Amino acid sequence: YNDDSPLENMHCAELYRVLGQTETNIFSGMTDSQWRESRKIILTCILGTDMSHHFEQISKVNLFLEVHGSETESFATGNTEEIPQVLHDSDQRLFMMELLLHCSDISNPYKPFQICRAWSHLVVAEFCAQGDREKKEGLEVSPMCDRDAMNLCNMQMGFIEFVVSPLILGVIKMFPSLHGIGSTMNENMREWAA
């Protein structure tokens, strides 16, 4: 994939390999137009989970809120059923789908702490295995992958504070009914700090 989102491109390729089989093609009843549109949405959303797009997505959320926040607030809080004009825009809807899949992909910090902790240990085990392999190959160990310098609690607090929180707080402003995940994230931050 020319080093361009290799993991995410592999996910896209694998999905369409599975869909290429008659017994697993859940889209077989679609028209050509529907299939093309669904493919555009699916590929955009999957490629949007690449962390290299994360901070750009934060900027887009902040811009959306600045330009359309007041327009969408009444709808998002249930005070009106009238759909704001911006939500009729297919590019804006596609961005929201991409954004929500990315938020799901980095959702560990706003899951209940017992789940958050379990997944954090699994992620750190994966990172350390990578660092061990890099050491074995004589390569420089990637950030957060050196088990000898690992501090799980600090790593998780930094992930919440500097990576997840700036995005999720913006998303919660876009979709106020998601305020519960913000509360859970704050509780998890306190647990890691303790």
Side-chain angles (χ1 to χ4, degrees):
Y1 305 110
N2 296 319
D3 294 330
D4 185 28
S5 305
L7 179 64
E8 295 76 15
N9 270 296
M10 183 274 296
H11 290 159
C12 293
E14 182 63 15
L15 171 64
Y16 282 94
R17 185 194 65 74
V18 169
L19 291 174
Q21 301 169 29
T22 304
E23 64 276 7
T24 54
N25 185 358
I26 61 172
F27 298 142
S28 61
M30 290 183 170
T31 65
D32 286 345
S33 173
Q34 291 170 327
W35 188 86
R36 280 191 303 277
E37 181 64 19
S38 71
R39 181 175 168 85
K40 173 186 169 187
I41 292 168
I42 289 166
L43 295 179
T44 298
C45 290
I46 293 173
L47 293 174
T49 63
D50 184 341
M51 285 301 292
S52 69
H53 306 298
H54 179 79
F55 294 100
E56 177 187 351
Q57 289 168 329
I58 292 170
S59 295
K60 285 182 176 180
V61 167
N62 291 335
L63 179 61
F64 179 91
L65 289 168
E66 187 177 316
V67 175
H68 304 289
S70 60
E71 177 184 351
T72 59
E73 181 179 2
S74 192
F75 177 73
T77 55
N79 292 331
T80 182
E81 291 185 18
E82 184 178 340
I83 299 172
Q85 189 60 38
V86 66
L87 299 182
H88 289 285
D89 181 274
S90 61
D91 290 337
Q92 290 292 344
R93 288 193 315 271
L94 181 57
F95 169 64
M96 288 183 190
M97 287 185 271
E98 172 190 340
L99 179 65
L100 291 173
L101 184 61
H102 177 55
C103 288
S104 298
D105 194 38
I106 61 169
S107 65
N108 189 49
Y110 38 93
K111 291 183 177 162
F113 189 70
Q114 64 196 39
I115 296 170
C116 175
R117 182 180 51 224
W119 276 108
S120 296
H121 283 285
L122 292 170
V123 166
V124 165
E126 181 181 333
F127 287 0
C128 289
Q130 176 180 327
D132 294 345
R133 178 69 186 264
E134 289 169 338
K135 286 179 186 177
K136 181 180 174 185
E137 299 293 332
L139 300 170
E140 182 179 339
V141 178
S142 297
M144 300 180 297
C145 293
D146 187 349
R147 72 174 64 251
D148 299 325
M150 180 71 60
N151 182 317
L152 176 65
C153 296
N154 286 344
M155 181 179 165
Q156 292 305 306
M157 289 188 301
F159 183 58
I160 291 170
E161 183 175 0
F162 299 111
V163 178
V164 178
S165 181
L167 181 65
I168 293 308
L169 295 179
V171 170
I172 292 169
K173 286 179 187 171
M174 290 172 79
F175 304 103
S177 61
L178 296 176
H179 72 276
I181 65 174
S183 299
T184 302
M185 184 174 64
N186 286 335
E187 291 167 17
N188 290 343
M189 185 72 151
R190 285 191 295 274
E191 288 285 344
W192 287 120

